[in-house]
Amino acid sequence: MAVPIGGPEEVPHIEVDEETKEIIKEMLSQMENPVNVNFFTSPNCAGRETNWCIPTEELLDLLVQLAPQGKLVVNKYNAEKDVEAFKKFGVEPQRVPVIYFGEGFIRYLGAPMGEEVRAFIETVVRLSTGKTGLRQKTRAELSTLAQGAPKRVYVLTVVTPSCPYCPYAVLMANMFAYESKGKVVSVVVEAYENPDIADMYGVTGVPTVILQAEDAAVGDVEFVGVPPEHELLARVKNHMGLS
């Protein structure tokens, strides 16, 4: 199912009650190996009408606080002070807030707020444990792609904070990226903060899933709604030229 795009909501700060903190802490307690996150921001959040950089940083700080000590590492980069880091990772300053897992095999363009918080936390836990929840056949095929795929494919999932189905599409794409060791790159695009991307692909409902080979100028809208796992895999292979 897909959800029509409505208007953005003002979220200047995050507010998390103690009960919710305990739930998040319990989720993060499953972490086994450290997870490295790179957070890109700027003092005025690229001049956005709503400074989404502030709640995004607050969320990351909260997760570090609630995770087992040393298991979640957040490196922060400022567009004014860390110009070279932005260049190294290929982050466009006007897109902040931006979150990269590791070198960027999973990327968030925009704040993972609202419904997206669940998928974000679950991504952290699954990366830490290595248990992606994908079917064995899918995992085997993605492992093969990790070894011999001729090119990368970007899976752009366009989302909004109020979409209840988006987290499922995002989590699947994120796990494809992990299992393929970055041959699939998952890019989560928050529609309100990146309207140019949403407009480029004519997005009217979310989640919208776009696939783009690394040597292609633009991508193709492949799904509106949560894609079936086997269908996403087939489309990924097709964009790699393997079908």
Coordinates of all heavy atoms in Angstrom, one line a residue, residues 6-62:
G6 N 1.1 14.4 2.2 CA 0.4 15.6 2.7 C 1.4 16.7 3.0 O 2.4 16.8 2.3
G7 N 1.2 17.5 4.0 CA 2.1 18.6 4.3 C 3.1 18.2 5.4 O 2.9 17.3 6.2
P8 N 4.3 18.9 5.4 CA 5.3 18.7 6.5 C 4.8 19.1 7.8 O 3.9 19.9 7.9 CB 6.5 19.5 6.0 CG 5.9 20.6 5.2 CD 4.6 20.0 4.5
E9 N 5.4 18.5 8.8 CA 5.1 18.9 10.2 C 6.3 19.6 10.8 O 7.4 19.2 10.5 CB 4.7 17.7 11.0 CG 3.4 17.0 10.5 CD 3.1 15.7 11.3 OE1 3.8 15.4 12.2 OE2 2.1 15.1 11.0
E10 N 6.0 20.5 11.7 CA 7.1 21.2 12.4 C 7.6 20.3 13.5 O 6.9 19.9 14.4 CB 6.6 22.6 13.0 CG 6.3 23.6 11.9 CD 7.5 24.2 11.2 OE1 8.5 24.3 11.9 OE2 7.4 24.4 10.0
V11 N 8.9 20.0 13.5 CA 9.5 19.2 14.6 C 10.8 19.8 15.0 O 11.9 19.4 14.6 CB 9.7 17.7 14.1 CG1 10.2 16.8 15.3 CG2 8.5 17.1 13.5
P12 N 10.8 20.8 15.8 CA 12.0 21.5 16.2 C 12.9 20.7 17.1 O 14.1 20.9 17.2 CB 11.5 22.8 16.8 CG 10.1 22.5 17.4 CD 9.6 21.5 16.4
H13 N 12.3 19.9 18.0 CA 13.0 19.1 18.9 C 12.3 17.8 19.1 O 11.1 17.6 18.8 CB 13.1 19.8 20.3 CG 13.9 21.0 20.3 ND1 15.3 21.1 20.3 CD2 13.5 22.3 20.2 CE1 15.7 22.3 20.3 NE2 14.6 23.1 20.2
I14 N 13.0 16.7 19.6 CA 12.3 15.5 19.8 C 12.0 15.4 21.3 O 12.7 16.0 22.2 CB 13.2 14.3 19.5 CG1 14.5 14.3 20.3 CG2 13.5 14.2 18.0 CD1 15.3 12.9 20.2
E15 N 10.8 14.8 21.6 CA 10.4 14.6 23.0 C 10.1 13.1 23.2 O 9.3 12.6 22.5 CB 9.1 15.4 23.3 CG 9.3 16.9 23.2 CD 8.1 17.7 23.5 OE1 7.1 17.1 23.9 OE2 8.1 18.9 23.4
V16 N 10.9 12.5 24.1 CA 10.7 11.1 24.3 C 10.5 10.8 25.8 O 11.3 11.2 26.6 CB 12.0 10.3 23.9 CG1 11.8 8.8 24.0 CG2 12.4 10.7 22.4
D17 N 9.3 10.2 26.1 CA 9.0 9.9 27.5 C 9.8 8.7 28.0 O 10.4 8.0 27.2 CB 7.5 9.7 27.7 CG 7.0 8.5 26.8 OD1 7.7 7.5 26.7 OD2 5.9 8.6 26.3
E18 N 9.8 8.5 29.3 CA 10.6 7.5 29.9 C 10.2 6.1 29.5 O 11.1 5.2 29.3 CB 10.5 7.6 31.4 CG 11.2 8.9 32.0 CD 12.7 9.0 31.6 OE1 13.4 8.0 31.7 OE2 13.1 10.1 31.2
E19 N 8.9 5.9 29.3 CA 8.5 4.6 28.8 C 9.1 4.2 27.5 O 9.5 3.1 27.2 CB 7.0 4.5 28.8 CG 6.4 3.1 28.4 CD 4.9 3.1 28.4 OE1 4.3 4.1 28.7 OE2 4.4 2.1 28.0
T20 N 9.0 5.2 26.6 CA 9.6 5.0 25.2 C 11.1 4.8 25.3 O 11.6 4.0 24.5 CB 9.2 6.2 24.3 OG1 7.8 6.4 24.3 CG2 9.7 6.0 22.9
K21 N 11.7 5.5 26.1 CA 13.2 5.4 26.3 C 13.5 3.9 26.7 O 14.5 3.3 26.2 CB 13.7 6.4 27.3 CG 13.8 7.8 26.8 CD 14.4 8.7 27.9 CE 14.5 10.1 27.4 NZ 15.1 11.0 28.4
E22 N 12.7 3.4 27.6 CA 13.0 2.0 28.0 C 12.8 1.0 26.9 O 13.5 0.0 26.8 CB 12.0 1.7 29.2 CG 12.5 2.3 30.5 CD 13.9 2.0 30.9 OE1 14.2 0.8 30.8 OE2 14.7 2.9 31.3
I23 N 11.8 1.3 26.1 CA 11.5 0.4 24.9 C 12.7 0.4 24.0 O 13.2 -0.6 23.5 CB 10.2 0.8 24.2 CG1 9.0 0.5 25.1 CG2 10.1 0.0 22.9 CD1 7.7 1.1 24.6
I24 N 13.2 1.6 23.7 CA 14.3 1.8 22.8 C 15.6 1.1 23.4 O 16.3 0.5 22.7 CB 14.6 3.3 22.5 CG1 13.4 3.9 21.8 CG2 15.9 3.5 21.7 CD1 13.5 5.4 21.6
K25 N 15.8 1.3 24.7 CA 16.9 0.7 25.4 C 16.9 -0.8 25.3 O 17.9 -1.4 25.0 CB 16.9 1.2 26.8 CG 18.2 0.8 27.6 CD 18.2 1.4 29.0 CE 19.5 1.0 29.7 NZ 19.5 1.6 31.1
E26 N 15.7 -1.3 25.4 CA 15.5 -2.8 25.3 C 15.9 -3.3 23.9 O 16.5 -4.3 23.7 CB 14.1 -3.2 25.7 CG 13.8 -4.7 25.5 CD 14.6 -5.5 26.5 OE1 15.1 -5.1 27.5 OE2 14.9 -6.7 26.1
M27 N 15.4 -2.5 22.9 CA 15.7 -2.9 21.5 C 17.2 -2.9 21.3 O 17.8 -3.8 20.7 CB 15.0 -1.9 20.5 CG 13.5 -2.0 20.5 SD 12.8 -0.8 19.4 CE 13.4 -1.3 17.8
L28 N 17.9 -1.8 21.7 CA 19.3 -1.6 21.5 C 20.2 -2.6 22.3 O 21.3 -2.8 22.0 CB 19.7 -0.2 21.8 CG 19.1 0.9 20.8 CD1 19.5 2.3 21.3 CD2 19.7 0.7 19.4
S29 N 19.6 -3.1 23.4 CA 20.3 -4.0 24.2 C 20.7 -5.3 23.5 O 21.6 -6.1 23.9 CB 19.5 -4.4 25.5 OG 18.4 -5.2 25.1
Q30 N 20.1 -5.6 22.3 CA 20.4 -6.7 21.5 C 21.7 -6.6 20.7 O 22.1 -7.5 20.1 CB 19.2 -7.0 20.5 CG 17.9 -7.2 21.2 CD 16.7 -7.2 20.2 OE1 16.8 -8.0 19.2 NE2 15.7 -6.4 20.3
M31 N 22.2 -5.4 20.7 CA 23.4 -5.1 19.9 C 24.6 -6.0 20.3 O 24.7 -6.2 21.5 CB 23.8 -3.6 19.9 CG 22.8 -2.7 19.3 SD 23.3 -0.9 19.4 CE 24.7 -0.9 18.2
E32 N 25.3 -6.4 19.3 CA 26.5 -7.3 19.6 C 27.8 -6.6 19.1 O 28.7 -6.5 19.9 CB 26.3 -8.6 18.9 CG 25.1 -9.4 19.4 CD 24.9 -10.7 18.6 OE1 25.7 -11.0 17.7 OE2 23.9 -11.4 18.9
N33 N 27.8 -6.2 17.9 CA 29.0 -5.6 17.4 C 28.8 -4.1 17.2 O 27.7 -3.6 17.0 CB 29.4 -6.2 16.0 CG 29.7 -7.7 16.2 OD1 30.5 -8.1 17.0 ND2 29.0 -8.5 15.4
P34 N 29.9 -3.3 17.2 CA 29.7 -1.8 17.1 C 29.2 -1.4 15.7 O 29.5 -2.1 14.7 CB 31.2 -1.3 17.3 CG 31.9 -2.4 18.1 CD 31.3 -3.6 17.6
V35 N 28.4 -0.4 15.7 CA 27.9 0.2 14.5 C 28.3 1.6 14.4 O 28.2 2.4 15.3 CB 26.3 0.2 14.4 CG1 25.8 0.9 13.2 CG2 25.8 -1.3 14.5
N36 N 28.9 2.0 13.2 CA 29.5 3.3 13.0 C 28.6 4.1 12.1 O 28.2 3.7 11.0 CB 30.9 3.2 12.4 CG 31.6 4.5 12.3 OD1 31.4 5.3 11.6 ND2 32.6 4.6 13.2
V37 N 28.2 5.3 12.6 CA 27.3 6.2 11.9 C 28.0 7.6 11.7 O 28.7 8.1 12.6 CB 26.0 6.4 12.7 CG1 25.2 7.6 12.1 CG2 25.2 5.2 12.8
N38 N 27.9 8.1 10.5 CA 28.5 9.4 10.2 C 27.3 10.4 10.0 O 26.4 10.1 9.1 CB 29.4 9.4 9.0 CG 30.6 8.5 9.2 OD1 31.4 8.8 10.1 ND2 30.8 7.4 8.4
F39 N 27.3 11.5 10.7 CA 26.2 12.5 10.7 C 26.8 13.8 10.1 O 27.7 14.3 10.6 CB 25.7 12.7 12.1 CG 24.7 13.8 12.2 CD1 23.5 13.8 11.5 CD2 24.9 14.8 13.1 CE1 22.6 14.9 11.6 CE2 24.0 15.9 13.2 CZ 22.8 15.9 12.5
F40 N 26.1 14.3 9.1 CA 26.5 15.5 8.4 C 25.4 16.6 8.7 O 24.2 16.4 8.5 CB 26.6 15.2 6.9 CG 27.6 14.2 6.6 CD1 27.2 12.8 6.6 CD2 29.0 14.5 6.4 CE1 28.2 11.8 6.3 CE2 29.9 13.5 6.1 CZ 29.5 12.2 6.1
T41 N 25.9 17.8 9.1 CA 25.0 18.8 9.5 C 25.6 20.2 9.1 O 26.7 20.2 8.6 CB 24.7 18.8 11.0 OG1 23.7 19.8 11.3 CG2 25.9 19.0 11.8
S42 N 24.9 21.3 9.4 CA 25.5 22.6 9.3 C 24.8 23.5 10.3 O 23.7 23.2 10.8 CB 25.3 23.1 7.9 OG 23.9 23.4 7.6
P43 N 25.4 24.7 10.6 CA 24.9 25.5 11.7 C 23.4 26.0 11.4 O 22.6 26.0 12.3 CB 25.8 26.7 11.7 CG 27.1 26.2 11.2 CD 26.7 25.1 10.1
N44 N 23.1 26.3 10.2 CA 21.7 26.7 9.9 C 20.9 25.7 9.1 O 19.9 26.0 8.6 CB 21.8 28.1 9.1 CG 22.3 27.9 7.7 OD1 22.9 26.8 7.4 ND2 22.1 28.9 6.9
C45 N 21.4 24.5 9.1 CA 20.8 23.4 8.4 C 20.4 23.7 7.0 O 19.3 23.5 6.5 CB 19.5 22.9 9.2 SG 19.1 21.2 9.0
A46 N 21.4 24.3 6.3 CA 21.3 24.6 4.9 C 20.2 25.6 4.6 O 19.6 25.7 3.5 CB 21.1 23.3 4.0
G47 N 19.8 26.4 5.6 CA 18.8 27.4 5.5 C 17.4 26.9 5.3 O 16.5 27.6 4.8
R48 N 17.1 25.7 5.8 CA 15.8 25.1 5.6 C 14.8 25.9 6.5 O 15.1 26.4 7.5 CB 15.8 23.6 6.0 CG 16.7 22.7 5.1 CD 16.5 21.3 5.5 NE 17.3 20.4 4.7 CZ 17.0 20.0 3.5 NH1 15.9 20.4 3.0 NH2 17.8 19.1 2.8
E49 N 13.5 25.8 6.0 CA 12.4 26.5 6.8 C 12.3 25.8 8.1 O 12.1 26.5 9.1 CB 11.1 26.4 6.0 CG 11.1 27.2 4.7 CD 9.7 27.1 4.1 OE1 8.8 26.6 4.7 OE2 9.6 27.6 2.9
T50 N 12.5 24.5 8.2 CA 12.5 23.8 9.5 C 13.9 23.2 9.7 O 14.4 22.5 8.8 CB 11.4 22.7 9.5 OG1 10.1 23.2 9.2 CG2 11.4 21.9 10.8
N51 N 14.5 23.5 10.8 CA 15.8 23.0 11.1 C 15.8 21.6 11.5 O 15.8 21.3 12.7 CB 16.5 23.9 12.1 CG 18.0 23.6 12.3 OD1 18.4 22.5 12.1 ND2 18.7 24.6 12.7
W52 N 15.7 20.7 10.6 CA 15.6 19.2 10.9 C 17.0 18.7 11.4 O 17.0 17.6 12.0 CB 15.2 18.5 9.6 CG 13.8 18.7 9.2 CD1 13.4 19.5 8.2 CD2 12.7 18.1 9.7 NE1 12.1 19.5 8.1 CE2 11.6 18.6 9.0 CE3 12.4 17.2 10.8 CZ2 10.3 18.3 9.3 CZ3 11.1 16.8 11.0 CH2 10.1 17.3 10.3
C53 N 18.0 19.5 11.3 CA 19.3 19.0 11.8 C 19.3 18.8 13.3 O 19.9 17.9 13.9 CB 20.4 20.0 11.4 SG 20.7 20.1 9.7
I54 N 18.6 19.7 14.0 CA 18.5 19.7 15.5 C 17.9 18.4 16.0 O 18.5 17.7 16.8 CB 17.8 21.0 16.0 CG1 18.6 22.2 15.8 CG2 17.5 20.8 17.5 CD1 18.0 23.5 16.2
P55 N 16.6 18.1 15.6 CA 16.1 16.8 16.1 C 16.8 15.6 15.7 O 16.9 14.6 16.4 CB 14.6 16.8 15.6 CG 14.7 17.7 14.4 CD 15.7 18.8 14.7
T56 N 17.5 15.6 14.5 CA 18.2 14.5 14.0 C 19.4 14.2 15.0 O 19.7 13.1 15.4 CB 18.7 14.7 12.6 OG1 17.6 14.9 11.8 CG2 19.5 13.4 12.1
E57 N 20.1 15.3 15.3 CA 21.3 15.2 16.2 C 20.8 14.7 17.6 O 21.4 13.9 18.2 CB 22.0 16.5 16.3 CG 23.3 16.4 17.1 CD 24.2 17.6 17.0 OE1 23.8 18.6 16.3 OE2 25.3 17.5 17.5
E58 N 19.7 15.3 18.0 CA 19.1 14.9 19.3 C 18.8 13.4 19.4 O 19.0 12.7 20.3 CB 17.9 15.7 19.7 CG 18.2 17.2 19.9 CD 16.9 18.0 20.1 OE1 15.8 17.5 19.7 OE2 17.0 19.1 20.6
L59 N 18.2 12.9 18.3 CA 17.9 11.5 18.2 C 19.1 10.6 18.2 O 19.2 9.6 19.0 CB 17.1 11.2 16.9 CG 16.9 9.7 16.5 CD1 16.0 9.1 17.6 CD2 16.3 9.5 15.1
L60 N 20.2 11.0 17.5 CA 21.4 10.2 17.5 C 22.0 10.2 18.8 O 22.5 9.2 19.3 CB 22.4 10.7 16.4 CG 21.9 10.5 15.0 CD1 22.9 11.3 14.0 CD2 21.8 9.1 14.6
D61 N 22.0 11.4 19.5 CA 22.6 11.5 20.8 C 21.9 10.6 21.8 O 22.5 9.9 22.7 CB 22.6 12.9 21.3 CG 23.6 13.8 20.6 OD1 24.5 13.3 20.0 OD2 23.5 15.0 20.7
L62 N 20.5 10.5 21.7 CA 19.7 9.7 22.6 C 20.0 8.2 22.3 O 20.2 7.5 23.3 CB 18.2 10.0 22.3 CG 17.3 9.1 23.1 CD1 17.4 9.4 24.6 CD2 15.8 9.4 22.7

